[in-house]
């Protein structure tokens, strides 16, 4: 894929995996809109990326992915500034089983809204140029997790959403591809020390993957052909699965 001057929207990108994606895409010559619910952090991260990669290449916006008006505004400001959208990464996500309604709303409903808006923005018969939607799933979107049942359910939903959009004839005809990433544990603030202890107890004492591995996975997903509707597993704990597409056909 030729990345220069292409445009990406990334949700939940003030920190963690989303921020790493933004950095990786900007380094390849793309233009990026980062959005996040955290106003202070998205401003700090946006300004820092703009300083490094040029103000003409970066915009940032406050967006809670549960808020349709804010989400629509992200697409609008991106098109106003950069005149096109090529890649949409629905990355925002939370894990909090006690507050499980929020998990469903952010992870699943937020991804549904983001996928619908992306499809409209990218399809060629609506003025788009075609492109790719990348939904952030999880290893727990393709295998169960008894400790995180609602989180896992939300990510299974993201996988089904991605595969179903990929099957739509009107999306294929209009050049829009849908994919997802299914990582194991990545070293971000989502994996707190307590979670890390729990993880060690249940899954063994394996090290967390760096966000660089996720950027590598993103570029594989973007560069591979014939992967519409596929989920790429990122899980160094299991070398047989790592960087392989989940065989769900
Ligand atoms: N860290 C990990 O081990 C793994 C993470 N994932 C997924 O990757 C994605 C990113 O996770 P991390 O970077 O690790 O987490 P993180 O917690 O470091 O970053 C998540 C970002 O999303 C933002 N956010 C939270 N709720 C939001 C909302 N309603 N609207 C917009 N933004 C919101 C936060 O402010 C934060 O900046 C999530 O979807 C997560 O489920 C998947 C597999 C493994
Ligand atoms: C507790 C199990 C952690 C396992 C870590 C391995 C893989 C992680 C994959 C993910 O998709 C990340 C998901 C969740 C971990 C983060 C937080 C759990 C919070 C649980 C809670 O607060 O209820």
């Amino acid at each position: 894929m030729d990345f220069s001057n292409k445009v990406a929207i990334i949700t939940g990108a003030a920190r963690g995996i989303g921020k790493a994606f933004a950095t990786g895409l900007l380094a390849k010559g793309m233009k990026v809109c980062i959005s996040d619910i955290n106003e202070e952090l998205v401003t700090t991260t946006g300004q820092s990326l703009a300083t490094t990669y040029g103000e003409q290449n970066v915009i940032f916006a406050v967006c809670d992915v549960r808020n349709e008006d804010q989400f629509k505004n992200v697409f609008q400001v991106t098109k106003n500034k950069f005149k096109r959208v090529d890649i949409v990464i629905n990355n925002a996500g939370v894990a909090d089983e006690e507050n499980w309604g929020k998990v469903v709303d952010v992870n699943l409903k937020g991804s549904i809204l983001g996928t619908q808006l992306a499809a409209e923005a990218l399809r060629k018969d609506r003025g788009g140029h075609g492109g790719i939607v990348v939904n952030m799933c999880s290893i727990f979107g393709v295998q169960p997790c008894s400790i995180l049942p609602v989180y896992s359910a939300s990510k299974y939903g993201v996988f089904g959403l991605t595969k179903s959009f990929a099957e739509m004839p009107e999306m294929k005809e209009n050049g829009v591809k849908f994919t997802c990433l299914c990582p194991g544990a990545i070293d971000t603030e989502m994996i707190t020390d307590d979670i890390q202890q729990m993880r060690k107890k249940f899954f063994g004492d394996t090290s967390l993957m760096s966000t660089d591995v996720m950027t590598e996975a993103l570029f594989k997903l973007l560069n591979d052909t014939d992967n519409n509707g596929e989920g790429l597993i990122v899980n160094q704990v299991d070398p047989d699965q790592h960087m392989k597409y989940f065989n769900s056909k």
Side-chain angles (χ1 to χ4, degrees), residues 45-141:
T45 301
Q47 286 172 344
S48 162
L49 290 172
T51 301
T52 308
Y53 296 100
E55 290 196 353
Q56 71 282 11
N57 296 320
V58 181
I59 52 175
F60 51 92
V62 176
C63 171
D64 179 341
V65 294
R66 297 166 293 185
N67 183 317
E68 188 166 357
D69 288 339
Q70 288 182 3
F71 219 150
K72 283 181 173 166
N73 178 59
V74 167
F75 282 81
Q76 200 54 58
V77 295
T78 304
K79 283 193 270 188
N80 288 350
K81 167 97 175 172
F82 299 134
K83 311 296 176 215
R84 59 187 290 148
V85 183
D86 301 282
I87 296 169
V88 177
I89 307 178
N90 289 305
N91 167 74
V94 293
D96 182 355
E97 293 294 309
E98 282 185 15
N99 197 356
W100 61 264
K102 181 180 176 187
V103 174
V104 175
D105 285 347
V106 176
N107 297 5
L108 184 53
K109 288 170 79 175
S111 297
I112 292 170
L113 191 50
T115 302
Q116 289 172 338
L117 292 172
E120 282 298 302
L122 297 179
R123 53 189 291 178
K124 290 178 182 169
D125 64 346
R126 304 277 159 86
H129 302 267
I132 180 161
V133 179
V134 178
N135 287 330
M136 183 54 73
C137 190
S138 161
I139 194 69
F140 299 140

Side-chain angles (χ1 to χ4, degrees), residues 147 185 191 195-208 235 237:
I147 312 159
I191 308 291
I195 298 302
Q196 179 63 335
Q197 290 311 315
M198 213 192 314
R199 175 175 163 266
K200 281 184 181 169
K201 197 169 136 203
F202 282 91
F203 300 101
D205 192 3
T206 51
S207 50
L208 296 169
N235 192 13
V237 172

Side-chain angles (χ1 to χ4, degrees), residues 167-185:
E167 294 280 307
M168 292 179 189
E170 67 270 33
M171 294 302 158
K172 293 179 185 171
E173 285 158 16
N174 286 291
V176 191
K177 197 161 95 167
F178 300 85
T179 60
C180 60
L181 288 164
C182 307

